[in-house]
Amino acid sequence: MACLQPEQPESTPDTDPYGDRAHVLAVTDNTSILRSTPAVILCPNCGDIVETYEQGLPRIIPQFDTCCTTCQVELRRWCAVAVDAAYRELVEPPVLTAMTQAYWNEWLWAGITNYKGQPRNDEYTDRLSTKASEFGWGWELTCPLCRRGISQLKQEIRDVRDSLDYHHWSTDPDQGITLCRECHDIIGFDSYDNQVEERAHEWGFRSRNDLQIVRLALREAIATDRPVQLEMAADLVNRYNLIQSPGEVKELLKMVLRDSDLYDRFVDDSLYHGLTTC
């Protein structure tokens, strides 16, 4: 799993709606973001300025503990937004809220551990939920694949915890994605990893990851009510923290889509479980 300060995922419209002009503060560490231009730190709820850096952001801000006097909420690196001062009047509080929540989702989905590699997703899920309540937000952790929140999962599935399960794409280096238990099982044919690995070799694939990515793409298409397309490769890599490049995923999907018999091996009724679009 990723460390407490994981490598940041590629920018997406959800996390960076203002491009390079605004980012959640934690994202700016060891980057050139707003280093050479005056910057302000805003509350993601009301949009008020809570801190000003007239010379631009430093290379790293290791500690941030500032209260928004309007919202009466303590802000931290992961719930404050750095904005180019020249664009201060152009940003809107609802967008700041949405980009902060999107960052939280991607942070948790990629998995959070401490420097010893010990999991901290449960701890941070609670921490972010508490902060959301302080802001008056209705945010809760959702499964990135089926899009169901923890509260809905608890109603529909027995023995669901208050967090998601970590699915490894690779153990060295450690990289993966957190999914609800049902989605985790579905993309793996509800089988143990060694069984999926054996199936991959029987079918002529490189590893179990190839099979799981195809299943992931099929379920993603159902969840978003669209067909499986080669153009979704980059989105799959970014959203699900895949170790493959978009080009590799595109070639994998191309091979499966052009062979109807092979395609049929991947499809079963479980792909539709828990999805409201079907």
Side-chain angles (χ1 to χ4, degrees), residues 18 21-22 38-43 46-52 70 81-93 96:
Y18 295 112
R21 304 300 182 180
V40 291
I41 310 300
L42 307 184
C43 169
C46 67
D48 282 2
I49 296 175
V50 298
E51 196 78 55
T52 299
T70 299
V81 182
V83 177
D84 185 329
Y87 285 75
R88 162 68 181 86
E89 299 301 325
L90 299 179
V91 299
E92 301 175 343
L96 298 178

Side-chain angles (χ1 to χ4, degrees), residues 221-271:
I222 297 168
T224 56
D225 195 23
R226 59 177 179 170
V228 177
Q229 298 175 321
L230 302 184
E231 292 73 18
M232 68 192 301
D235 289 340
L236 290 173
V237 171
N238 291 334
R239 185 174 181 87
Y240 297 104
N241 200 28
L242 302 183
I243 58 176
Q244 290 83 356
S245 68
E248 288 180 282
V249 174
K250 184 177 292 187
E251 288 300 318
L252 181 61
L253 295 179
K254 182 189 298 184
M255 181 176 58
V256 173
L257 290 174
R258 71 187 180 193
D259 186 334
S260 59
D261 290 335
L262 181 59
Y263 178 89
D264 288 342
R265 295 184 188 181
F266 286 93
V267 178
D268 59 40
D269 291 342
S270 71
L271 289 170

